Every structure is written in structure tokens, then in C-alpha cells.
Amino acid sequence: MFRTALRNVFAHKARLLMTVLAVMLGVAFVSGTLVFTSTISNAFQNSSAKGFDGVDVEITPAFHESQGDTLGKPGELTQAQLDTVEKVTGVDSAVGVVKGFTAVADKHGKLVGGGFQSQGANYWGAKDVRYPLVSGSAPHGADEIAIDSETAQRTGYKVGDTVRVSVDGPVLTPRVSGVFRTDDGNVTAGGSLTLFDTATAQKLLGEPGTYHAIDVKAAAGTSQAQLKSALDTALTTKAVDTVTGKKLADDQAQVISRSMSGLKQGLLVFAGIALFVGTFIIANTFTMLVAQRTKELALLRAVGASRRQVTRSVLIEAFVVGAVAGVTGLLAGIGIGAALRSLLGTFGATLPDGPLVVEPSAVVAALAVGVLITMLAAWLPGRRAARIPPVAAMSSLHAQATTKSLVLRNTLGALFTGVGVAVVLWATTLSGSDGQAPMGLGAVVLIIGVFILTPLLSRPLIAAASPVLRIFGVSGKLARQNSVRNPRRTAATASALMIGLTLITGMTVMAGSLQQAIDKMASAALRADYVVSMANGRDLSKDVGEKLAASSDVTASSPLRNAPVRIDGETEYLTGVNGSTIGELTDLKVDNGSFKIGGDQVVVDKDTAERNHWKVGSSFTAHFQDKKAERLTVSGVYDGNEVIQGALMDISTLTPHATDSRDMQVLVKTKGGVSSEAKDRLVKTLGTNPVIQVQSKKDLSDSIAQIFTLMLNMLYGLLAMAVIVAVLGVINTLAMSVFERSQEIGMLRAIGLDRKGIKRMVRLESLVISLFGGVLGIGLGVFFGWAAGELLGTSMPTYELVLPWARMGIFLLLAGLVGILAALWPARRAARLNMLAAIKAE
């Protein structure tokens, strides 16, 4: 039986090729994901570890809510503490570290590194061993900086050039005094590192005379643990934490690993989808192969083979196919991992250098997935074949499914579908996070139910296409009859395409609905012409709001200044606004009271009011950062949204108490309204700062649309894998169907149907099956998009369902195109059959 199984594999090379390809694509995606994430994670970890080579112990301010600031803000290290550290036995050197956000503009005024990885720090003394100079000298004074060699290479800056730099808003124009080399992970990832002398760094990034950390290097013969113990003894205060360099590197490696796990899981989900779709194709292929070999298997049973042996022979074939697909998929996956890394570079992402990492887990996963998925999909056809009595198999009486099996299948499908719909509908009544898991479970159950019911659904839906197929005469009539001849095969083929289109349609519906909801939110909440903010999401300098308020073009402005306070022992955030102008700049719906802000009167959004059991007239005591308290009164309750929410109070009341308040945004209304000229004048007022962005409501919507478009395009690209697998399934089904119907096709040719008619018949059959899968997929996608929207609507009042009719039409056309392309080879093969040889075929 083992030899028989192997001979069957080699005897049907062409038939099994598509199956191998389907499994290989899924395996390649899985192994490629593992190789890619391992490679990137390893590169970042190695790069990060280099940054701690010169640090044996790092001292940082401890975060203790009971100490100092009642709001839990960590303190800073003093010069006295640094002096103490330098005198500890076992210390070779100690460096005071100052660090913070610092943006650098290139020669075209564009932000280097996107802002998120743009950092500034201090250059220690006359020669900082952390940052060896490549050229020039150390920075001295407020007018000099040093830049990293990567940034110098990307921008073309050299020693002596003037650079535009921004710390928290105002533009600085220092001269480049030197270029240094660094292994900093942010720099290798595409960011920038700018160094000031220590005094300047303290003034710009911290407080004069203080440090954010102290990096200590151990003397020869002193271990990191011994040094840490000595420092803990010397620094008796509980206001500092000491951490060894090894632990810093290990912690950073864990952070990188966790950050990569999200990407890995996301990619593996799509790999799983491709494998799930591939499973249908494999099951379909083995069902047809077993059906074609029914008489052969019956003969084996007649000469003494047991049911288990027949099933085992089919599983051996599946094992061989899975093993081949696993090995080829692994090799392809290694190539995909390398290609994904290179692809990130083409999108502007800079990654640390490092080797391609192929971990044993990737090899095991590729082989295990390939073999297990194939054998699992082949088990049911093999078991079904083994249960056919030899006499029945010889007479082909097994071909038709029994009424009992059909009733059982349809009942089971209806049960799964009903439960799935019920769970999804129940999930829409829950709040956001609570409903995610039930909705996911319900979606999976519903898809399984629809798949089980697909043979039943195929007849009425394909029958609906009869009027169109009649246009093509005999070929159209035959195509319709062939499509419903074997409903199970049609269902398995269409389901592969259905799953891909379900996901694509559902995400498109959600993205379009979310985009409109955010557009409505921005237009409903804002009357301001422009919103000024930092491009990297950080807070603005207070100077920005002051400059805008003083501009002759500005008729009204208000910062949104965020500050933490303690209310009833809990930390809350108050937003300071200009009470006299905020009404001109926003259009918030007030449910109770009035929108009156000034003195001790504040307005709060509905969620904050409910959480704290406040209503109009309620009073509460707010403890500010300066340890003083104010008794505040709620004058109104408004409907909050993602743009403006929380408690709003007058900035003149908030600012004297807030020692560390920053402006999140500044709302601006101009004389002439929105225009390119007004925007240019505002940009110039702020010193043409590359970090500060001035956006109208349309700009805000466009920037959000770009994010959704980028996400959708990425998802479309990933789901294309599932669609490719589905195409292979259609090709496979048609090719094997043509083989099965060789005699029939020969008879059709003999009675007058020409080659064009045969080709048209096969193409129309493929088109009908693909459109059937497309209609099911789009229908399910709309339902899931609506259900997910209902879940999101609980936290987004402006959300409403938007059906992208144009895109859904494109998806349906693409499904039809898939059917036409998939039929090219099978149709050509059918047309080229020799009619006499085909008629003689068994």
C-alpha cells in the first residue's frame, strides 16, 4: 500500500502541482513572517545592546507617588548626587546624561527621521567616549551642536554648516561643530541624534544643574553587581533607582521582542487565512483525486486491502505532498523574509544592519504546517473513499450523496449559521472591548456555517444567472448545468474566494465609515480655521500660542493646555482654554447648563461627569502641581468626542498652578478664513518650523484618510495571498473537472460543438463559480462591517454605516476577472482534447 501510494503521487504530478502551490504559499507566508520578525528583532537587539556597552550601572530618578510631587512626576538627579557617585569605590567614571526631543530639518526644510526618533542629548566634557568624533570638535555654547554621521550622510550637512533645530517649538539655528559616530538604536532606525554641550542641553531639555540619568562605568576588577551594591549603599535616598547595564540590555531586548510580537501576530493571522483558504483547495483536490480513483480503490478493497489501508494510502500521498510543499515553502519563506526587509527600505524605513536569521522554530513550523494542514484536509476524502463498498464503487453508485447526508449537512450548516449570526448580533449590544472576543467567535462560526450551506445556496444563486447565460446559447446552458452538477465541489471552490472577499469588503466598509465619522466629528466640533500641533505628537511650546495670538491675521485663538491634577486622590487631567474665545473656535453640544468657562467655573464632557458623579452645580477640589488647591464648580456638561473631551477650565486659572503644563494644540481663527495665503502666513509667523504643522479641517481629514488608505493597502497586499491561493483553487477544480468530463467533452465535439464553444463553456463555468463566491463574500463582508461599526459606535457617536458601492462593484468585477483568468489554461486544455480519444476515455 505504501508503494501504491507513492506511485499514485508520481503518476498524478500535474494534478497535484496546484495543491503543492496552494500549501507552499501558505507555508511560505508563515515561515517568511517568522524569518522577517526574527531578523528585525535580532538586528534591533544587537544595535540596542551596543548602546549599553559603556554602561555598567545606570542611575535614574525613581518614580514614587508618595515622594515630592503629589502627581507622581519623577524628580531629576542633581550635581551633588553626581559628585557622590564619582567618589564611590569601584567607579571608573560617571557621566551625567541629559536627553529629550530634538528635531533637525534637512536642507529642504523637511523633518529628518519623521520626528518620532529625533533625540537630543549632552556631549560630556571635552571628549565624550560615548560619541567618538568623526570630524570637527565638541559643541561649545548655545550656538553649536554635533550631529550623528548617519544624519550628516542623509542630509549632506558638514562641519561649519548652519542647521535648523527645534526642541519644543521655537527654531534654533546653531552651527555644526562636529560629526560623531553612534550605535544608538533610534539613529540606526532612521532617526537623528543632536548633541549640545551639557549646560545648553540642561537649559533646553531639562533644568539647569540637573540630569535625567547618570551612567557609571566600573573600574577594573569590579563587577556590575558589586558596583550596583556600592552605589546603593552610597545613595541612601529612595529617590533613585540603580540598574546594571546587563539588565538594561535585557529589558530593552524584551521591549523590542514585545513590540515585534504584535507585527508577528498580525502577519501570522494573514498567513493563517491563506492556509485556511488553502485547506479548502487541498480537500477539494483530494476529493476529486479519490473520486477519479474510485474503481482503483475498489479493486484494492476487493483483493484484500482494509479500510484503514485505503485511508492510510491517501494520507501517505498527503504526507508526501505536504512535505514537498513544506520544504519549498520554507525556502520561499526565507526569500520572502529577505524581500520584506528590503521592501521596508524602499518605503523609507531605515533598519539596523544584521544577518538574516532563520531560527529552528521557523523550520519546524514550516514543515509541521505543510504536513499537518495537507493531511488534515486529505483525511476526510480518504475516510469517505474507504467506506464505499467495493461493488458500489465498481458501479459508481456512490457518486450521488444520500438524502440523509444532505439533510444532516444542511441542518448542521443552518445551526452554525444561526448561532454565528446570534452571537455577532449579541456582540453589537456590548461595549467596545467587551464585544470584540464574542464578535470574533461569532464571525468564525458564521463563516463555517455559510461554508457548510454553500452547496445548498449554490443552486438558487447560480440559477439567478440563467437569463444572462442564455445569451451564450448552448455553451451558457452547459456552463450553468456543470456549475451545479457537483455542488460540494463548487462550494469548496467558491468558498476559498469568499473568505478573501469577506475580509477585504468588511475592512473597506469599516474604513470608509470610520473616515466619515471622523470627518463629521472634526467638522461638528470645530469652528476654528486651523489646528496647530507638533508633527510628532508631542506638546507645543507655550511660545507658539503667544505668537499666534499676537499675529495680525488671527482674530481668535485658544491653546488646549493639558495639566494633571489630583481629585479625590486620583489623577485627572484638566484642559486649559481661553474662556473668552473657545466658544468661537468650537461647536460643542451642551446637554446641561451653559458653556461658561472662567474663574472657578469649568465644563466637563458627559463621560467625565458620569465617572465622577458630577452634574451642573457640583463642586470639587483640584490639587495642582504647585501643591495648591482650587475649589471648582461645574457650569455645564457637553458631548465630548475624540477631538475635544474632558474637563475644560480657563487658562488664566490653570497656568499659575501648572508647573509642567504644555499645549497639545492651538485652535486658530483667521480674518479671511481658510486659504493657502493665510496658512503660509501662519507658518512664517512660527518661524517655518518643520516640526509644527498647521492644518485646516480638510487637512486633518486628509491626514486621517492617508492613514486609513495606507492600512487598507497593506491589508489588501496581505490578503492578496489568500486570493492567489483561491485562484489556484479555481484552476485546480476546472482542470480536474475537464479531466473527469473528457468523455463528455469528446461527445460534445462529436455532435457539433466547436473548440470556441468548449472554451466558452469552461470560461463561463469558472466565471459563474467565481461570481458566486464573490457575491457571498461581499454580502458577508458588509454584514461584518456593519456589526463591527455598531461596536465602534458605542464610543463614537458620529459613526454610521457607509457602503462603498463603487469599491464593492470593483471587488465583484475582480472576482469575475479571477474566474476568467483561472479558466484560461483549463479551457485551452479542454478545447485541444482529441474527440475520439476523449470518447474512448473511461
Side-chain angles (χ1 to χ4, degrees):
M1 293 301 296
F2 179 75
R3 287 196 298 271
T4 302
L6 290 181
R7 285 174 181 171
N8 281 323
V9 171
F10 293 115
H12 304 295
K13 301 183 189 72
R15 303 183 205 175
L16 292 174
L17 177 61
M18 295 298 176
T19 306
V20 171
L21 285 174
V23 183
M24 185 198 75
L25 284 173
V27 171
F29 209 162
V30 171
S31 56
T33 295
L34 296 175
V35 169
F36 170 68
T37 52
S38 297
T39 298
I40 299 302
S41 179
N42 180 72
F44 275 114
Q45 287 177 13
N46 290 341
S47 175
S48 174
K50 289 180 182 177
F52 298 112
D53 284 348
V55 180
D56 289 312
V57 174
E58 183 179 70
I59 303 170
T60 55
F63 190 94
H64 296 298
E65 293 198 10
S66 60
Q67 172 201 325
D69 193 337
T70 57
L71 297 174
K73 179 190 171 188
E76 291 174 316
L77 301 174
T78 64
Q79 183 64 42
Q81 289 172 312
L82 177 59
D83 294 339
T84 301
V85 169
E86 289 177 330
K87 297 174 183 176
V88 173
T89 302
V91 172
D92 180 64
S93 63
V95 175
V97 178
V98 184
K99 54 189 175 182
F101 170 74
T102 303
V104 178
D106 62 19
K107 292 184 176 181
H108 303 288
K110 302 296 183 182
L111 188 61
V112 176
F116 295 98
Q117 291 132 348
S118 300
Q119 296 294 316
N122 64 314
Y123 190 91
W124 187 253
K127 185 177 181 181
D128 194 330
V129 295
R130 300 173 300 169
Y131 309 115
L133 290 169
V134 176
S135 61
S137 59
H140 294 287
D143 295 328
E144 289 187 350
I145 61 169
I147 61 174
D148 65 88
S149 56
E150 292 287 339
T151 299
Q153 184 177 3
R154 287 195 294 265
T155 61
Y157 287 133
K158 58 183 182 298
V159 175
D161 288 346
T162 299
V163 181
R164 296 174 65 81
V165 175
S166 175
V167 174
D168 60 358
V171 177
L172 308 174
T173 55
R175 183 182 67 87
V176 177
S177 67
V179 177
F180 62 91
R181 187 175 65 255
T182 178
D183 291 320
D184 187 286
N186 287 320
V187 174
T188 55
S192 64
L193 179 61
T194 307
L195 300 182
F196 306 89
D197 67 11
T198 298
T200 304
Q202 288 174 333
K203 180 181 177 182
L204 294 174
L205 307 175
E207 297 292 336
T210 64
Y211 304 97
H212 296 113
I214 298 174
D215 289 346
V216 185
K217 188 167 181 59
T222 303
S223 67
Q224 290 186 356
Q226 291 171 335
L227 180 60
K228 180 182 183 302
S229 177
L231 290 170
D232 287 339
T233 303
L235 299 170
T236 54
T237 174
K238 294 181 179 179
V240 299
D241 288 328
T242 56
V243 185
T244 63
K246 183 180 183 305
K247 189 172 189 311
L248 285 172
D250 292 343
D251 290 346
Q252 186 66 23
Q254 289 181 3
V255 170
I256 293 171
S257 180
R258 284 196 299 269
S259 65
M260 294 303 297
S261 67
L263 175 63
K264 182 188 291 186
Q265 289 172 5
L267 291 173
L268 287 175
V269 165
F270 290 98
I273 292 169
L275 284 170
F276 186 53
V277 172
T279 303
F280 292 131
I281 298 169
I282 300 163
N284 210 13
T285 300
F286 274 94
T287 298
M288 288 186 284
L289 286 175
V290 169
Q292 290 170 10
R293 290 163 43 209
T294 300
K295 291 186 178 181
E296 174 190 328
L297 295 176
L299 183 59
L300 290 173
R301 289 289 313 283
V303 297
S306 66
R307 289 183 177 181
R308 288 186 178 181
Q309 285 179 311
V310 170
T311 304
R312 198 178 301 131
S313 70
V314 175
L315 291 178
I316 289 170
E317 291 182 48
F319 175 82
V320 174
V321 172
V324 172
V327 172
T328 54
L330 173 63
L331 296 176
I334 293 172
I336 289 174
L340 283 174
R341 178 173 176 171
S342 300
L343 189 63
L344 285 181
T346 63
F347 288 135
T350 306
L351 301 173
D353 293 330
L356 194 67
V357 178
V358 183
E359 294 184 347
S361 59
V363 177
V364 173
L367 296 176
V369 167
V371 171
L372 290 178
I373 289 292
T374 309
M375 292 185 70
L376 182 66
W379 175 76
L380 188 59
R383 183 171 176 268
R384 189 184 299 133
R387 295 179 65 183
I388 300 170
V391 175
M394 289 290 188
S395 59
S396 297
L397 295 175
H398 67 287
Q400 298 295 324
T402 64
T403 303
K404 180 180 178 182
S405 68
L406 291 174
V407 170
L408 179 62
R409 179 180 181 124
N410 293 337
T411 302
L412 190 63
L415 182 63
F416 268 82
T417 302
V419 171
V421 170
V423 173
V424 170
L425 292 177
W426 171 63
T428 61
T429 64
L430 304 175
S431 61
S433 58
D434 294 335
Q436 290 177 3
M439 183 165 291
L441 176 63
V444 171
V445 173
L446 176 55
I447 288 176
I448 293 173
V450 171
F451 169 67
I452 297 173
L453 283 178
T454 305
L456 180 66
L457 298 173
S458 64
R459 290 186 179 277
L461 288 178
I462 292 176
S466 295
V468 178
L469 292 175
R470 287 197 190 102
I471 299 172
F472 299 96
V474 174
S475 297
K477 182 178 181 181
L478 290 171
R480 184 186 66 80
Q481 291 175 348
N482 290 333
S483 300
V484 296
R485 176 184 295 182
N486 192 332
R488 291 187 176 184
R489 181 188 302 171
T490 298
T493 306
S495 295
L497 193 59
M498 175 192 76
I499 293 170
L501 284 177
T502 296
L503 295 168
I504 290 173
T505 305
M507 286 184 290
T508 303
V509 170
M510 283 184 60
S513 302
L514 279 171
Q515 177 64 50
Q516 178 167 296
I518 292 170
D519 289 348
K520 282 186 177 181
M521 189 182 298
S523 60
L526 295 177
R527 289 179 181 170
D529 295 323
Y530 293 101
V531 177
V532 180
S533 61
M534 293 280 276
N536 63 345
R538 293 175 179 265
D539 294 329
L540 292 161
S541 165
K542 295 178 184 178
D543 296 345
V544 173
E546 294 169 1
K547 286 181 180 179
L548 290 170
S551 172
S552 58
D553 284 323
V554 176
T555 58
S557 68
S558 174
L560 300 180
R561 184 168 297 171
N562 210 24
V565 297
R566 300 284 282 189
I567 299 174
D568 296 331
E570 299 292 333
T571 299
E572 295 276 356
Y573 284 87
L574 297 180
T575 301
V577 298
N578 188 328
S580 60
T581 61
I582 191 66
E584 300 178 53
L585 301 166
T586 60
D587 188 16
L588 299 170
K589 180 185 176 184
V590 180
D591 288 336
N592 294 298
S594 62
F595 199 72
K596 186 177 180 181
I597 302 173
D600 65 347
Q601 292 186 312
V602 300
V603 296
V604 298
D605 70 321
K606 190 184 298 182
D607 290 341
T608 302
E610 290 177 356
R611 188 172 66 250
N612 291 283
H613 307 291
W614 293 338
K615 57 184 179 180
V616 175
S618 297
S619 295
F620 60 91
T621 301
H623 298 271
F624 292 88
Q625 289 173 298
D626 62 354
K627 301 181 182 179
K628 294 182 181 178
E630 288 273 358
R631 191 71 178 171
L632 304 175
T633 302
V634 177
S635 62
V637 178
Y638 68 94
D639 285 340
N641 53 57
E642 296 297 321
V643 180
I644 298 177
Q645 57 184 311
L648 309 180
M649 68 181 300
D650 193 82
I651 201 166
S652 61
T653 305
L654 174 66
T655 303
H657 296 294
T659 58
D660 189 36
S661 61
R662 295 295 183 93
D663 295 343
M664 299 176 291
Q665 297 172 329
V666 178
L667 308 181
V668 177
K669 202 170 185 64
T670 56
K671 287 180 180 177
V674 177
S675 67
S676 57
E677 294 80 8
K679 182 175 180 178
D680 289 341
R681 287 194 293 270
L682 290 178
V683 170
K684 289 179 180 177
T685 298
L686 298 173
T688 318
N689 193 318
V691 188
I692 298 177
Q693 56 186 5
V694 179
Q695 295 177 298
S696 64
K697 285 186 281 190
K698 185 178 184 306
D699 293 333
L700 287 170
S701 296
D702 289 345
S703 64
I704 295 168
Q706 287 178 355
I707 295 172
F708 281 123
T709 301
L710 177 63
M711 290 176 59
L712 269 181
N713 289 339
M714 290 175 63
L715 293 172
Y716 287 162
L718 293 169
L719 286 171
M721 182 70 71
V723 175
I724 291 172
V725 174
V727 172
L728 290 175
V730 178
I731 296 173
N732 209 12
T733 299
L734 290 173
M736 302 191 83
S737 178
V738 167
F739 177 82
E740 279 184 353
R741 295 180 352 231
S742 296
Q743 190 176 61
E744 174 188 325
I745 292 171
M747 290 295 296
L748 290 172
R749 289 290 315 283
I751 62 176
L753 190 63
D754 59 12
R755 290 185 174 181
K756 287 185 179 180
I758 295 292
K759 286 183 179 180
R760 191 181 301 119
M761 177 187 72
V762 176
R763 288 170 184 165
L764 288 173
E765 180 183 348
S766 176
L767 180 64
V768 167
I769 292 173
S770 297
L771 288 177
F772 170 53
V775 169
L776 286 180
I778 292 172
L780 281 174
V782 169
F783 176 70
F784 290 140
W786 166 81
E790 290 293 303
L791 203 59
L792 287 170
T794 58
S795 58
M796 190 175 289
T798 55
Y799 185 93
E800 62 181 39
L801 182 67
V802 176
L803 294 180
W805 294 106
R807 288 205 176 189
M808 288 193 295
I810 292 172
F811 295 157
L812 197 59
L813 287 175
L814 286 175
L817 182 62
V818 163
I820 292 172
L821 292 176
L824 290 178
W825 177 63
R828 185 168 177 268
R829 183 184 177 189
R832 294 181 65 183
L833 284 175
N834 182 292
M835 68 177 75
L836 294 178
I839 291 172
K840 292 179 182 179
E842 293 186 3

